[in-house]
Amino acid sequence: MATMESLIGLVNRIQRACTVLGDYGGDSALPTLWEALPSVVVVGGQSSGKSSVLESIVGRDFLPRGSGIVTRRPLVLQLQKTEQGLQEYAEFLHMPKKRVTDFSMVRKEIQDETDRVTGKSKQISPVPIHLSIFSPNVVNLTLIDLPGLTKVAIEGQPESIVQDIENMVRSYVEKPNCIILAITPANQDIATSDAIKIAREVDPTGERTFGVLTKLDLMDKGTNALEVLEGRSYRLQHPWVGIVNRSQADINKNVDMIAARQREREFFATSPDYGHLSSKMGSEYLAKLLSKHLESVIKTRIPGIASLINRSIDELEAELDHLGRPVAIDAGAQLYTILELCRAFDQIFKEHLDGGRPGGDRIYGVFDYQLPAALKKLPLDRYLSLQNVRKVISEADGYQPHLIAPEQGYRRLIDGALNYFRGPADASVDAVHFILKELVRRSIAETQELKRFPTLQAEIAAAASEALERFREDSKKTTMRLVEMESAYLTVDFFRRLPQEVEKGGNPVASSADRYTEGHFRRIGSNIFSYIGMVSETLKNSIPKAVAHCQVREAKRSLLDHFYTQVGKKEAKQLAELLDEDPALINRRQQCAKRLELYKSARDEIDSVSWSR
């Protein structure tokens, strides 16, 4: 059989582990293992006796005291029962592995840690303080103490503090796995109890609420709280428990908890009003009652908790696979890892070019739209205007006019027109270069495996950029050669056919007398324009071929070849530097690994407890 100690101890161990890893709920809306486990939340108005109830359960005087709002941050108190004879001690989450055996120092640290977040004002904060107490004199419990509900803001507090405290309390008590410990002083009308009011709103059936009546010894003589304690005034699913706290005089005299508990037992045993209820009254009974209830709740929740744990294990393992396993320290393995990462990037880059991913179509857009549009916009009409043709033709032969045809004028006009093609050719090279650079950047971002290694990303980006610059220079030289080749050797057949074509059209060849007429110069401009149009069609097809050959094909074939050569020469230390991961990612992997270890351990413990039931 699984004992109450084993079940509650299991939950406590899991909750403590969750606390260390920061895997707890608080104000978070995200479901966590912490929130799936039941815990007890202490709720009450200011000066209702919450602190005294907690100290009575723990058996230690360790909480700050004073007037007004003393508890200004949630206190997550985890009690762990230890073997008899072992020394009691406390541990704070913000002071890991530091055992505090002086409980007056625990009180001081709670106060100091509160002030570190809220300052020494009366402000509140939802950031919890986590405290674990290990003692043979406690039962296994997790208790959460919250700031006392209030109705009026005092000096130094914002007007919103009343609502802020209520919102904080609700964020805890609304959770379905929360057990509400509603604290109400007996010398106050139950109808005005802040704790009961909020408990009724979030737990109308009273299934999760335990009512605690404090300060029974301070009621006016002749009055008692039997109507409440016997459930006639306000009925709950669980019995009301009366508590007699230490008086202020006892606190001032440092009356210890053992003596205080003995006085509490004597009060109920000798009371004419409560004597018949004495076995079900007092802080010791309350602690045992809560433990027993926790046991039953845990038993019913084990299947759901196990399901959450198994689902969380699957998600964590998937995330670890996504984050990648730790990098090997062997130089050979590191080199292999780098090459594999480069291949993964290169594959994605090729998919962009070949059509498996978007982006390569933009290069086709340069060839099919941008280049033809640029060629059409060349100012050839202006260059081959009547005035410019006359000027070039007239100046071509110097003092000696041409005898038959203006050969030098034709060549000079053609050379000048072909120079205009340099701009579109150069622009096509640059446009494809910038597209390739963008595809490199996008491919690096899309290579999931590379996200772990910002240094390697930067090195690959730099190597790819350097290679693309080389390809661009080669492409520019090639495209410029294409333009220069058109200037170096003209297609003479085109011009030899011109007179014959004119004659076939019925127009006689211009006589020498017409050489300096306007019609003559217009015919020259028209002939050259036709020739340049033929050249334009040729370059419109040959420039894309040159660009694709020198830039696109080379990028696909040898983008990282130089980088591979350099990586192969690096020593182990340099390889390790390339695989220097993002610290945030390393931390995330470590947290996932620790959380996975926690969840697997919790699963194993729950399985062992389940089988023993």
Side-chain angles (χ1 to χ4, degrees):
M1 281 292 291
T3 65
M4 179 171 69
E5 290 295 327
S6 64
L7 283 173
I8 300 176
L10 165 64
V11 169
N12 253 19
R13 287 193 298 276
I14 296 174
Q15 284 180 323
R16 278 200 308 279
C18 288
T19 299
V20 171
L21 293 177
D23 190 24
Y24 53 84
D27 287 345
S28 173
L30 298 175
T32 64
L33 179 55
W34 171 280
E35 291 179 328
L37 301 171
S39 56
V40 180
V41 176
V42 184
V43 181
Q46 286 186 30
S47 303
S48 60
K50 291 191 299 89
S51 296
S52 294
V53 170
L54 284 173
E55 289 182 332
S56 295
I57 291 174
V58 175
R60 279 287 188 171
D61 187 356
F62 69 99
L63 292 173
R65 294 181 179 277
S67 59
I69 299 179
V70 178
T71 304
R72 292 184 283 122
R73 290 175 58 185
L75 174 66
V76 180
L77 176 62
Q78 292 175 289
L79 306 180
Q80 177 64 44
K81 186 175 182 62
T82 59
E83 295 180 6
Q84 288 294 332
L86 294 179
Q87 185 180 25
E88 295 177 293
Y89 66 92
E91 284 185 359
F92 286 95
L93 177 63
H94 61 274
M95 298 166 56
K97 298 182 180 179
K98 181 176 180 180
R99 295 186 176 187
V100 184
T101 56
D102 183 349
F103 280 80
S104 65
M105 296 304 296
V106 173
R107 180 190 307 111
K108 183 178 184 302
E109 183 57 32
I110 292 174
Q111 185 64 58
D112 291 346
E113 177 61 15
T114 298
D115 291 343
R116 289 184 193 111
V117 173
T118 64
K120 295 186 178 295
S121 63
K122 297 295 183 180
Q123 304 292 327
I124 64 168
S125 169
V127 180
I129 298 173
H130 291 269
L131 171 64
S132 296
I133 293 179
F134 301 82
S135 169
N137 304 318
V138 298
V139 294
N140 290 316
L141 273 178
T142 295
L143 299 156
I144 303 175
D145 187 25
L146 299 174
L149 295 161
T150 184
K151 293 182 173 63
V152 179
I154 63 173
E155 185 177 353
Q157 295 175 341
E159 289 299 323
S160 63
I161 195 166
V162 175
Q163 190 61 48
D164 292 342
I165 293 175
E166 182 174 334
N167 292 340
M168 184 192 302
V169 171
R170 285 183 183 276
S171 70
Y172 283 88
V173 299
E174 284 176 344
K175 291 179 171 63
N177 290 313
C178 165
I179 297 168
I180 304 168
L181 198 62
I183 310 293
T184 302
N187 54 3
Q188 172 187 320
D189 189 342
I190 195 70
T192 64
S193 170
D194 297 313
I196 292 299
K197 175 180 177 293
I198 200 167
R200 179 188 294 172
E201 292 174 3
V202 300
D203 180 31
T205 62
E207 294 179 1
R208 298 189 287 117
T209 302
F210 282 81
V212 177
L213 216 57
T214 61
K215 304 183 180 182
L216 289 168
D217 54 329
L218 300 181
M219 294 186 71
D220 293 337
K221 291 185 178 181
T223 63
N224 60 52
L226 286 177
E227 289 283 324
V228 176
L229 293 175
E230 292 178 348
R232 297 193 301 274
S233 177
Y234 182 76
R235 181 173 294 278
L236 295 170
Q237 297 282 345
H238 307 287
W240 283 81
V241 178
I243 297 288
V244 174
N245 302 325
R246 287 183 302 165
S247 66
Q248 188 59 49
D250 290 338
I251 295 171
N252 295 338
K253 294 176 182 177
N254 293 320
V255 174
D256 63 35
M257 287 298 174
I258 296 176
R261 285 178 176 178
Q262 179 60 34
R263 289 186 184 181
E264 184 182 47
R265 287 193 293 270
E266 292 174 357
F267 173 84
F268 286 111
T270 59
S271 170
D273 294 321
Y274 311 119
H276 64 294
L277 299 173
S278 60
S279 62
K280 297 181 179 180
M281 295 288 120
S283 55
E284 290 178 293
Y285 173 77
L286 175 62
K288 293 176 182 177
L289 179 66
L290 290 174
S291 286
K292 185 176 181 180
H293 179 70
L294 269 178
E295 178 193 19
S296 65
V297 170
I298 292 167
K299 285 181 179 178
T300 60
R301 301 284 166 83
I302 279 181
I305 294 171
S307 176
L308 170 63
I309 288 174
N310 288 327
R311 186 169 68 250
S312 299
I313 287 173
D314 292 340
E315 292 173 355
L316 287 167
E317 288 180 336
E319 183 171 0
L320 278 174
D321 289 339
H322 176 72
L323 294 172
R325 302 297 171 176
V327 179
I329 59 174
D330 175 71
Q334 289 176 341
L335 178 60
Y336 176 80
T337 298
I338 291 171
L339 296 178
E340 283 297 300
L341 292 168
C342 290
R343 291 188 190 102
F345 153 76
D346 197 46
Q347 180 60 36
I348 291 176
F349 179 67
K350 288 175 180 175
E351 288 175 5
H352 277 293
L353 292 176
D354 293 334
R357 296 171 186 257
D361 55 311
R362 292 169 55 199
I363 295 176
Y364 175 72
V366 173
F367 299 153
D368 190 56
Y369 172 75
Q370 185 173 319
L371 175 61
L375 293 175
K376 286 182 180 180
K377 291 179 181 178
L378 292 178
L380 296 175
D381 288 340
R382 186 173 69 251
Y383 178 73
L384 294 174
S385 66
L386 179 64
Q387 293 81 1
N388 196 52
V389 171
R390 179 186 288 116
K391 179 176 181 295
V392 174
I393 293 295
S394 300
E395 295 173 352
D397 295 317
Y399 76 93
Q400 178 65 61
H402 57 273
L403 299 177
I404 299 174
E407 174 80 10
Q408 292 300 321
Y410 264 91
R411 289 187 179 277
R412 289 189 180 185
L413 284 170
I414 291 172
D415 282 343
L418 288 176
N419 276 330
Y420 284 107
F421 287 87
R422 293 176 179 272
D426 197 57
S428 297
V429 171
D430 287 339
V432 171
H433 175 76
F434 288 120
I435 292 172
L436 291 173
K437 284 188 69 174
E438 170 60 22
L439 293 182
V440 165
R441 186 198 64 76
R442 190 183 299 180
S443 299
I444 290 175
E446 291 174 2
T447 307
Q448 293 297 327
E449 301 93 326
L450 268 178
K451 291 183 177 179
R452 298 170 54 187
F453 309 107
T455 302
L456 182 58
Q457 285 184 49
E459 289 291 328
I460 290 176
S465 180
E466 183 180 329
L468 291 178
E469 286 291 343
R470 291 197 305 271
F471 302 154
R472 174 163 70 168
E473 290 305 312
D474 189 32
S475 185
K476 282 193 175 186
K477 290 177 183 178
T478 303
T479 55
M480 289 303 108
R481 284 195 186 103
L482 290 176
V483 176
E484 290 166 1
M485 283 190 293
E486 294 294 338
S487 296
Y489 186 79
L490 304 182
T491 306
V492 294
D493 286 346
F494 176 88
F495 293 99
R496 287 172 179 171
R497 289 196 299 268
L498 286 177
Q500 299 169 8
E501 291 173 356
V502 171
E503 289 171 352
K504 289 177 182 178
N507 295 321
V509 179
S511 66
S512 58
D514 295 329
R515 289 175 187 169
Y516 297 103
T517 65
E518 184 175 309
H520 177 63
F521 291 122
R522 288 190 186 279
R523 279 194 299 274
I524 293 174
S526 176
N527 292 340
I528 293 174
F529 192 87
S530 297
Y531 181 76
I532 295 301
M534 182 190 72
V535 172
S536 178
E537 286 298 315
T538 300
L539 291 177
K540 187 170 70 173
N541 293 320
S542 60
I543 288 174
K545 293 178 186 294
V547 171
H549 175 80
C550 296
Q551 291 176 268
V552 181
R553 192 186 72 157
E554 286 303 307
K556 285 175 59 179
R557 188 175 66 177
S558 59
L559 183 65
L560 295 180
D561 280 4
H562 184 66
F563 181 68
Y564 292 147
T565 303
Q566 296 301 312
V567 167
K569 298 177 182 178
K570 291 184 181 293
E571 298 179 354
K573 182 180 179 181
Q574 295 171 309
L575 294 174
E577 290 173 352
L578 284 179
L579 295 175
D580 183 20
E581 292 186 86
D582 183 347
L585 190 145
I586 295 174
N587 182 63
R588 178 61 185 164
R589 185 194 296 115
Q590 291 173 343
Q591 289 297 315
C592 283
K594 289 178 182 178
R595 188 166 283 110
L596 181 61
E597 183 181 355
L598 159 66
Y599 276 58
K600 285 183 175 180
S601 175
R603 179 186 61 187
D604 294 341
E605 289 206 56
I606 287 177
D607 286 346
S608 65
V609 170
S610 299
W611 280 107
S612 64
R613 288 171 59 190

